[in-house]
Amino acid sequence: MRKARLYDLRVDFDYKQKDIADYLHVKTDTYSKWERQINDMPLQKINELSKLYKVCLDYLLGLSNQKNRNISQNNINMTLLQKRLKQLRTKKKLSQKYLSEKLGFPQTTYSNYERGSRIITVQKLLMICEFYNISFDYITGKSNDSIQTR
């Protein structure tokens, strides 16, 4: 798993973990575990951090060295995320079963992500982005540029 830039950005902005936890309305321990990638962060929280630091999600998650890319939306579009998950899979002619086995989580879980009956977490979506070599900002509907850049 790529190292997210949560720690580096927090230090660069001279914030304490408690400051960020308060900003996200979570306990300091919860944020600390997200920062150290012990626990998986909800999409909405990583999006709040990208807005706070004024960087794209790809940069924040270590997928790109470009801080700001062609971001057309400020928020994650869950409907578009579900649509893009399905489009990416069907374009490659992959079954949900095959993809879920490759990614290491149950087919029913993946199916729920595509249908929107379960909200995908950052680490799971990051795995999908790395599998397809696509932008996190693209899959979340924040950008129309699908290419990962380094």
Side-chain angles (χ1 to χ4, degrees), residues 8 23 32 40 47 57 61 71 77-78 92 108 112 119 125 128-129 143 149:
D8 297 332
Y23 174 79
S32 175
D40 201 354
N47 193 57
L57 291 169
L61 294 169
I71 303 303
N77 182 329
M78 295 304 288
K92 298 273 187 185
T108 54
N112 288 333
I119 297 174
L125 193 53
I128 291 168
C129 290
S143 171
T149 59

Side-chain angles (χ1 to χ4, degrees), residues 69-86:
R69 294 187 56 209
N70 300 322
I71 303 303
S72 56
Q73 298 294 320
N74 206 20
N75 292 309
I76 291 171
N77 182 329
M78 295 304 288
T79 303
L80 192 52
L81 185 151
Q82 295 156 22
K83 181 179 176 183
R84 287 182 172 169
L85 281 174
K86 186 171 184 175

Side-chain angles (χ1 to χ4, degrees), residues 119-145:
I119 297 174
I120 193 167
T121 58
V122 170
Q123 294 301 341
K124 293 260 190 318
L125 193 53
L126 191 54
M127 290 169 62
I128 291 168
C129 290
E130 289 176 331
F131 178 83
Y132 289 117
N133 194 33
I134 59 157
S135 162
F136 202 95
D137 289 293
Y138 169 77
I139 203 161
T140 57
K142 292 186 68 158
S143 171
N144 290 319
D145 183 5

